[in-house]
Amino acid sequence: MMLMKRRDFLKVGAAAGAMASLYGCAGGGKASGHVVVVGGGYGGATVAKYLRMWSEGGVQVTLIERNPTFISCPISNLVIGGQKTMEDITISYEGLRNKWGVRVIQDDVVAVDATKRTVSLKGGSALSYDRLVLSPGVDFMWDEIPALKGAEAQSKVLHAWKAGPQTVALRKQLESMKDGGVYAISIPKAPYRCPPGPYERACLVANYFKQSKPKSKVVILDANEDVMSKKGLFTKAWSDLYKGIVEYRNNSEVKDVEVGSNTAVLEFDKFKADVLNIIPPHRAGDIAHKSGIKLVNNRWVDINWLSMESTSTPGIHVLGDAIFPAPTMPKSGHMANQHGKLAAAAILNMLSGQEPNPEPVVMNTCYSFVDSKNVIHVSSVHQYDAATKTVQPVKGAGGVSAARNELEGKVALGWAQNIWADMLA
Amino acid sequence: MKMFVPLAAACLLASASAAHAADPNLGRNLAATCANCHGTNGNAVKGSGIDGLAGIPKDKTLQKLADFRSGDKPASIMHQIVKGYTDAQLDLIATYFAAQK
């Protein structure tokens, strides 16, 4: 952004006045302008709050979110397992509105014009922006599971990989299942949202069966060669806690589904379940595809790690699960929150005529419940590396729990309270 | 509007000369990486069971971090996370939190 376009500079100058620009230039200035954020999840809510907080209200922020409330994916497996309710994982946007002065609009963005710097809403209106943040999460590649393309099929064979109505529906399917039934969960090839999430879900469904339907089974159909996260800790939980209940099958990619009989079609085999939970392969949310920004493998957004800005399209920053990840970086809510702060800092610098921070750091922590109380974690720290122009995991830092334990079960719930407040309160 | 052009030039010069200087908000940015668990600006949610860091004297925070790193202070996760930051970064983080209310 060193070569700030004259047009942009005039826009900033016109909004903030010459004095503000002069201060910005001197390094202590207050940024100003209008940032539109698309998507109010872990990434979008965080960037909206931090832009307002760090600019002390100098930057106007509009957040466009299609849902009326925030519903958390992390902790949603406890709703499926029966320990928590939807109310426990649902939070309003009123904190962003009232405390932080974010304009929250419930709508869908249908188009982005990167040249005119406008977004069009489904409701018919359009908004102009100085900087745009897309935090759209993922959408599913239904072509990879052809029988699930239609809405009716999708209402029978659930993913429950976006917390919301499907979370409730999957819980209901499990409650309705007879004892002695089989629940099968399929995992797509990495990268996918929340690497340990499917294994956690398998544990919590097995925990429910152990208590309420002890003749029932959980089968994990994993398209990957091996357990993708916390392998030793998950396999130990399955053998210690759920022997005879959980069965893990690697290299078992689901190619299609026979919806009427809850049957997963694998490459050489079929698997019939009573409750079939298919997590299809995913890619950056639809709006990233519609906006014309550069994608990697036609799936994930290519970004500059100093600013989270698209490598192809100036003025558009992209966060969270939608991006092509840095080496070993998971697609997680915690990481999306960290992206939001990195982007907020960079955007405020850019709006006041400064370079983004040349040495950003992000870190991840992810807790998984293996039963109603015991938890295991994985953590990592990622520092910017100028040579590779990406954030690299710090060697010797991070790691996993020594063993599942109840202390981390309490910490995991404390983590949720704090990160939800960090985004929304 | 003419006056904006020389200002833009001045900005370019300032940016160029400061190309390798640290960001003045580096401490704030680094401390924000802790906020997911320890609360915005170190103000953890009351009753969450996670330590708040706001207003804690810098030396105390640095000592705690050093003890996590050495293993003198047992931890579930901080012994792994602390090793991801340089001493200079931990110093900036502890300084930032000490100044928060």
Side-chain angles (χ1 to χ4, degrees):
Chain A
M1 205 56 208
M2 192 186 291
L3 297 172
M4 193 183 232
K5 284 180 192 154
R6 180 182 147 83
R7 182 173 59 87
D8 298 338
F9 182 76
L10 289 176
K11 209 183 271 177
V12 172
M19 286 313 286
S21 296
L22 184 59
Y23 288 133
C25 179
K30 245 174 115 174
S32 64
H34 181 217
V35 178
V36 172
V37 180
V38 180
Y42 278 85
T46 303
V47 74
K49 170 176 160 176
Y50 273 74
L51 281 168
R52 293 289 295 164
M53 184 173 76
W54 282 345
S55 74
E56 295 171 357
V59 169
Q60 301 306 307
V61 177
T62 303
L63 172 67
I64 301 155
E65 164 58 46
R66 62 164 71 103
N67 295 310
T69 54
F70 167 79
I71 303 177
S72 178
C73 272
I75 311 294
S76 71
N77 278 337
L78 289 174
V79 177
I80 291 163
Q83 289 83 14
K84 295 274 178 195
T85 64
M86 289 303 284
E87 199 183 356
D88 295 324
I89 60 168
T90 302
I91 303 168
S92 103
Y93 289 108
E94 289 309 300
L96 285 184
R97 279 198 182 97
N98 299 336
K99 185 170 173 191
W100 296 106
V102 175
R103 181 162 65 135
V104 183
I105 299 176
Q106 190 187 343
D107 209 328
D108 249 316
V109 174
V110 292
V112 173
D113 186 327
T115 310
K116 289 184 184 158
R117 299 206 172 200
T118 58
V119 296
S120 305
L121 306 186
K122 200 175 182 178
S125 56
L127 293 167
S128 65
Y129 62 81
D130 294 304
R131 298 224 150 243
L132 177 65
V133 181
L134 300 179
S135 191
V138 297
D139 277 307
F140 297 112
M141 299 162 74
W142 294 113
D143 286 348
E144 304 291 313
I145 319 273
L148 290 185
K149 276 188 196 171
E152 201 191 330
Q154 286 172 27
S155 72
K156 287 180 181 158
V157 176
L158 307 172
H159 55 79
W161 215 237
K162 295 182 181 186
Q166 289 232 343
T167 311
V168 179
L170 180 58
R171 175 66 192 169
K172 282 191 178 145
Q173 287 188 357
L174 292 166
E175 284 173 350
S176 309
M177 193 190 85
K178 66 180 188 296
D179 190 11
V182 174
Y183 162 77
I185 179 170
S186 80
I187 306 172
K189 279 187 178 151
Y192 58 89
R193 161 179 281 181
C194 189
Y199 310 110
E200 177 191 58
R201 181 175 293 177
C203 287
L204 290 169
V205 173
N207 180 66
Y208 167 60
F209 287 170
K210 193 176 169 180
Q211 287 165 1
S212 305
K213 298 177 183 184
K215 292 179 216 153
S216 309
K217 306 268 181 245
V218 172
V219 175
I220 303 166
L221 302 171
D222 195 339
N224 298 288
E225 277 179 29
D226 208 342
V227 177
M228 297 309 291
S229 179
K230 312 179 196 176
K231 182 191 170 190
L233 293 159
F234 275 122
T235 51
K236 188 156 168 42
W238 298 334
S239 63
D240 290 354
L241 305 173
Y242 309 118
K243 206 169 177 65
I245 299 177
V246 171
E247 183 191 333
Y248 176 76
R249 298 186 185 184
N250 69 343
N251 295 326
S252 297
E253 184 172 19
V254 173
K255 300 281 194 186
D256 206 352
V257 164
E258 292 169 4
V259 177
S261 62
N262 279 330
T263 300
V265 180
L266 312 175
E267 196 172 9
F268 303 113
D269 202 0
K270 287 184 179 182
F271 188 87
K272 186 180 179 322
D274 295 283
V275 174
L276 186 58
N277 181 189
I278 299 288
I279 304 172
H282 24 292
R283 55 168 172 73
D286 287 339
I287 193 63
H289 291 256
K290 285 183 199 161
S291 63
I293 54 182
K294 187 188 168 194
L295 303 174
V296 178
N297 301 329
N298 202 30
R299 281 178 82 177
W300 311 111
V301 181
D302 196 29
I303 55 117
N304 175 338
W305 277 102
L306 291 176
S307 58
M308 309 294 301
E309 192 173 23
S310 157
T311 55
S312 66
T313 313
I316 301 183
H317 303 253
V318 187
L319 315 178
D321 294 348
I323 63 159
F324 183 72
T328 78
M329 177 179 284
K331 295 188 178 298
S332 74
H334 190 107
M335 185 51 78
N337 167 295
Q338 299 266 319
H339 293 168
K341 292 163 185 170
L342 195 169
I347 287 168
L348 295 178
N349 280 17
M350 291 160 116
L351 286 175
S352 53
Q354 297 163 58
E355 294 286 313
N357 172 15
E359 41 192 341
V361 180
V362 291
M363 58 81 61
N364 188 61
T365 300
C366 169
Y367 293 101
S368 304
F369 283 81
V370 296
D371 62 22
S372 60
K373 286 187 176 156
N374 284 282
V375 160
I376 56 181
H377 81 255
V378 59
S379 66
S380 54
V381 181
H382 308 250
Q383 298 251 5
Y384 187 75
D385 173 54
T388 53
K389 292 187 176 176
T390 185
V391 291
Q392 296 282 358
V394 179
K395 286 188 185 122
V400 298
S401 306
R404 64 176 180 271
N405 64 89
E406 291 193 11
L407 173 65
E408 290 196 70
K410 294 188 180 104
V411 176
L413 297 175
W415 167 87
Q417 282 183 276
N418 279 295
I419 195 168
W420 293 340
D422 191 37
M423 300 158 55
L424 293 159
Chain B
M1 297 297 270
K2 262 182 186 170
M3 66 177 295
F4 290 127
V5 179
L7 280 176
C11 272
L12 285 176
L13 285 171
S15 301
S17 64
H20 297 289
D23 190 295
N25 291 310
L26 190 56
R28 178 200 73 180
N29 295 350
L30 287 164
T33 69
C34 312
N36 302 39
C37 300
H38 293 280
T40 304
N41 292 323
N43 290 295
V45 173
K46 287 196 175 70
S48 67
I50 297 180
D51 291 346
L53 303 171
I56 306 292
K58 177 183 166 179
D59 289 352
K60 205 175 162 186
T61 300
L62 284 177
Q63 187 59 50
K64 212 166 158 182
L65 290 166
D67 291 346
F68 283 136
R69 192 192 286 266
S70 68
D72 286 349
K73 188 173 169 61
S76 59
I77 196 166
M78 275 308 299
H79 60 301
Q80 298 168 346
I81 293 169
V82 70
K83 290 173 188 152
Y85 295 82
T86 65
D87 287 342
Q89 288 173 334
L90 294 178
D91 196 279
L92 284 166
I93 290 170
T95 304
Y96 182 84
F97 282 129
Q100 302 306 304
K101 285 177 192 162

